[in-house]
Amino acid sequence: MNAKVIVVTSGKGGVGKTTTTANIGVGLAKLGEKVAVIDVDVGLRNLDVVMGLESRVVFDLIDVIEGKCRLQQALIRDKRVENLYLLPASQTRDKDALDPEVFKTAVKQLIEEEQFDRVLIDSPAGIESGFRTAAAPAQGALVVVNPEVSSVRDADRIIGLLEAQQISEINLVINRLRPKMVASGNMLSEADVLEILGVKPIGIIPEDEGILVSTNIGEPAVLGQSVAGQAFMATARRLRGEDLAFPKLEEDRGFMAVLRRLFGGK
Amino acid sequence: MASFFDRLGFNRKGSKETLKDRLELVLAYDRAKIAPGKVDALREDLLAVVKKYFPTEGSNIEVEQRGDTIMLVANIPLEKEGAPGKR
Ligand SMILES: Nc1ncnc2c1ncn2[C@@H]1O[C@H](COP(=O)(O)OP(=O)(O)OP(=O)(O)O)[C@@H](O)[C@H]1O
Ligand SMILES: [Mg+2]
């Protein structure tokens, strides 16, 4: 994707926006980009805990916007990967505290003054003001979708709204795909989703217990070797333009999974 | 940190325990409406001041949860010999 500022969104809640933001953010930083991940879910911040940086929050996005601190003071540097920063949302304020135009200026400052290569914005669920604010500074979007009816429907709606906001580069991340259910004809496949939405996926992430474990310990899955972690890493590479095929997904269970956990990290 | 055995799933103490610890702390800060990093900075500052007057090594200031309030608890041992601090 050419877009430097990318909103991660879905319409429907709980499909994996925050997980995707954290993992793609870490993935891109591992590939050498200077990355900022921003939590725009004001009042319900979560990206800090998913990234395992919650204990280091001092200032937040609203503090920056209200001039209570400088932008650099609110950026939390992730010590595990070079050039990765988190800008947390405020937990004590509500959505109205964040004006889209002011937010745009802050993001512009990240790109133009702080020389970030990429800014990923974790959008709140829904299609109202929170989503609109999150999308305001973006030139590109990652639409996260689960292969099930309400998520696909909401994704279609979101894609329409993004296009109306002149966001040109829209890519799909299919999350929580269950290969066995796809094989047995009980879950939409990536081809079905492509056919229905008309948008090509840039990432296909399987359902993986490893995601829960990595969230529990605050270490994004891309830092380990779980199947979902590898799928996120491949997604980050595609996002940077690498032409990577989609490997055949297998559910991470059984003996091989145990070996992988034993020798390869999380 | 997840150990070798945690990863294998042999240990009863899985990632859940880490999660519980993290959640208890983060909820305490949420309820107190204060940023965790701010308390850390305050603690460092307080320790520096304490050290100035009581140059002992044993001082510590910790965040503790008591019921639904979060407190900063300071333990500052005073020197037995009554050695005066550097001023
Ligand atoms: N590939 C996956 N495999 C298993 N669990 C997953 C996967 N992706 C996400 N999850 C789990 O789904 C839940 C929701 O994920 P997440 O918080 O990222 O969604 P969200 O879209 O940001 O939600 P919200 O709309 O509330 O902001 C989390 O518990 C997460 O661990
Ligand atoms: Mg979220």
Side-chain angles (χ1 to χ4, degrees):
Chain A
M1 291 174 82
N2 291 321
K4 285 192 159 197
V5 184
I6 298 172
V7 62
V8 181
T9 187
S10 66
K12 184 170 157 59
V15 300
K17 296 177 291 295
T18 302
T19 307
T20 301
T21 307
N23 280 287
I24 303 292
V26 175
L28 289 173
K30 273 177 85 178
L31 296 168
E33 294 195 2
K34 183 175 178 186
V35 181
V37 291
I38 309 184
D39 192 344
V40 173
D41 212 339
V42 181
L44 290 171
R45 86 165 163 235
N46 270 322
L47 189 56
D48 58 334
V49 281
V50 171
M51 306 228 3
L53 297 174
E54 73 277 4
S55 65
R56 299 190 34 222
V57 175
V58 179
F59 297 110
D60 58 54
L61 178 57
I62 305 296
D63 292 328
V64 174
I65 275 166
E66 293 181 344
K68 291 189 182 135
C69 70
R70 282 175 296 114
L71 184 56
Q72 295 101 313
Q73 290 178 292
L75 289 169
I76 302 166
R77 190 175 71 83
D78 193 320
K79 292 173 183 158
R80 295 162 299 198
V81 207
E82 203 120 342
N83 287 325
L84 177 62
Y85 296 81
L86 163 71
L87 184 51
S90 169
Q91 180 69 347
T92 52
R93 305 290 294 275
D94 66 51
K95 296 211 154 58
D96 303 330
L98 189 57
D99 175 79
E101 287 309 313
V102 184
F103 180 48
K104 261 167 119 166
T105 328
V107 173
K108 200 169 168 199
Q109 196 184 335
L110 283 174
I111 300 285
E112 288 176 5
E113 286 165 37
E114 307 298 325
Q115 265 97 44
F116 277 90
D117 298 312
R118 207 76 78 160
V119 175
L120 296 182
I121 303 168
D122 182 15
S123 156
I127 53 172
E128 300 86 21
S129 69
F131 154 71
R132 284 174 199 280
T133 303
Q139 301 110 34
L142 287 177
V143 174
V144 183
V145 64
N146 294 163
E148 51 92 20
V149 57
S150 41
S151 176
V152 174
R153 187 184 193 184
D154 288 10
D156 189 59
R157 184 82 206 284
I158 277 288
I159 291 166
L161 291 172
L162 290 167
E163 282 167 350
Q165 286 212 21
Q166 322 293 305
I167 292 177
S168 48
E169 267 190 303
I170 302 175
N171 279 296
L172 211 60
V173 174
I174 303 179
N175 188 28
R176 310 196 76 155
L177 189 102
R178 297 169 69 175
K180 275 187 189 153
M181 286 197 73
V182 171
S184 66
N186 286 310
M187 183 178 264
L188 294 173
S189 69
E190 55 264 39
D192 297 326
V193 176
L194 165 63
E195 199 182 314
I196 298 164
L197 291 177
V199 182
K200 251 178 90 177
I202 194 170
I204 301 171
I205 320 296
E207 173 79 28
D208 183 355
E209 288 173 10
I211 293 288
L212 195 67
V213 175
S214 76
T215 311
N216 286 353
I217 61 174
E219 226 176 87
V222 270
L223 290 169
Q225 294 298 316
S226 64
V227 272
Q230 291 177 26
F232 273 123
M233 198 63 211
T235 308
R237 290 185 183 280
R238 284 189 207 98
L239 202 150
R240 282 170 50 78
E242 278 184 50
D243 186 19
L244 281 183
F246 288 97
K248 191 176 174 318
L249 288 172
E250 270 153 49
E251 265 164 77
D252 200 14
R253 294 225 183 92
F255 187 61
M256 284 314 288
V258 171
L259 285 186
R260 208 169 2 243
R261 293 213 180 97
L262 183 50
F263 296 109
K266 304 292 112 44
Chain B
M1 273 293 107
S3 76
F4 181 80
F5 287 105
D6 288 341
R7 286 177 197 160
L8 269 180
F10 288 163
N11 201 325
R12 278 186 300 120
K13 253 182 124 188
S15 64
K16 181 194 78 171
E17 291 303 323
T18 314
L19 173 67
K20 267 180 83 177
D21 293 345
R22 295 176 64 214
L23 268 177
E24 274 166 13
L25 209 59
V26 89
L27 290 185
Y29 285 112
D30 278 3
R31 290 170 187 154
K33 297 196 193 332
I34 180 164
K38 261 183 204 162
V39 177
D40 269 353
L42 169 64
R43 186 174 58 185
E44 303 280 297
D45 285 358
L46 282 175
L47 271 175
V49 172
V50 166
K51 251 193 169 152
K52 202 171 123 195
Y53 291 87
F54 309 104
T56 51
E57 281 308 304
S59 305
N60 75 58
I61 299 177
E62 273 172 356
V63 180
E64 261 180 38
Q65 215 187 326
R66 296 202 182 151
D68 49 11
T69 51
I70 184 162
M71 321 185 91
L72 267 186
V73 180
N75 284 299
I76 305 163
L78 302 182
E79 209 92 312
K80 280 198 204 90
E81 303 289 283
K86 291 185 290 197
R87 331 178 60 249

